Amino acid sequence: MGWVEINYVTYFTYYEIPTIYTSIHKVREVNDMSRLIQLASFACLIVLLAGFYIMPSNQALLMASGDSVHQITRAILASVIMVQILTKPPRQLWFRASAYILSGLAITWTIYQTYNYNMMPLDTLSILAGSFAILVSSVERSIVSKEESSERKTILVHSR
């Protein structure tokens, strides 16, 4: 008993009965992990964003900065992550390219500001997490042609 995947074909044996499935590239598992990364980054950014509006002098936020630049950066990254959460892949190429550029700029800016001791640790971690979530979801998705999608349709062949 077990699963073996070879060239988009999965062989499953259960009580000596072979069943052949053509898999759909395990898209659901990839989407679930990508969604988890996006939701965790989004939650981190929103907690810091809302925390400074609701309770700016709370001791839980001592390791973060409430500057307007950091708040605007958090808001932009959170809005892009929200768009990526709400839309289904494959997304438009212009959106993916702009999200990729935005995340690259945010990563570069965050590392530069942290290196110069101008950014607090929670800001660094939250902005890097959001930027990497945007980067991964904009890079890993690929536009599937109609020929490839017709090859990936599920076909069930059952033999006894």
Side-chain angles (χ1 to χ4, degrees), residues 10-148:
T10 305
Y11 298 99
F12 175 71
T13 57
Y14 184 74
Y15 296 116
E16 307 295 318
I17 302 171
T19 306
I20 301 172
Y21 294 96
T22 303
S23 68
I24 306 178
H25 220 45
K26 301 193 178 197
V27 174
R28 183 173 172 85
E29 294 174 8
V30 173
N31 285 343
D32 290 344
M33 183 55 70
S34 179
R35 296 283 177 174
L36 177 67
I37 292 170
Q38 289 173 342
L39 287 173
S41 310
F42 181 73
C44 182
L45 289 169
I46 290 298
V47 164
L48 287 177
L49 189 64
F52 279 106
Y53 283 121
I54 297 171
M55 46 189 174
S57 62
N58 191 357
Q59 290 183 355
L61 301 173
L62 284 178
M63 303 277 295
S65 176
D67 289 344
S68 62
V69 174
H70 295 111
Q71 290 289 83
I72 291 170
T73 305
R74 286 185 206 118
I76 290 171
L77 291 176
S79 62
V80 171
I81 291 174
M82 177 58 79
V83 169
Q84 287 183 339
I85 289 172
L86 294 178
T87 59
K88 293 183 180 180
R91 297 176 185 91
Q92 295 292 327
L93 186 61
W94 65 268
F95 179 73
R96 290 174 50 193
S98 61
Y100 182 79
I101 291 169
L102 175 74
S103 67
L105 289 174
I107 289 169
T108 305
W109 176 72
T110 303
I111 291 172
Y112 177 75
Q113 291 293 325
T114 305
Y115 182 72
N116 290 331
Y117 302 108
N118 294 332
M119 188 175 282
M120 301 290 280
L122 279 180
D123 292 327
T124 300
L125 294 175
S126 66
I127 293 173
L128 281 179
S131 298
F132 281 122
I134 293 169
L135 182 72
V136 165
S137 65
S138 66
V139 169
E140 86 175 327
R141 305 291 196 273
S142 62
I143 299 174
V144 178
S145 65
K146 290 187 178 184
E147 293 84 22
E148 290 179 20

Side-chain angles (χ1 to χ4, degrees), residues 1-15:
M1 285 191 281
W3 291 91
V4 178
E5 184 169 340
I6 301 170
N7 295 334
Y8 298 102
V9 178
T10 305
Y11 298 99
F12 175 71
T13 57
Y14 184 74
Y15 296 116

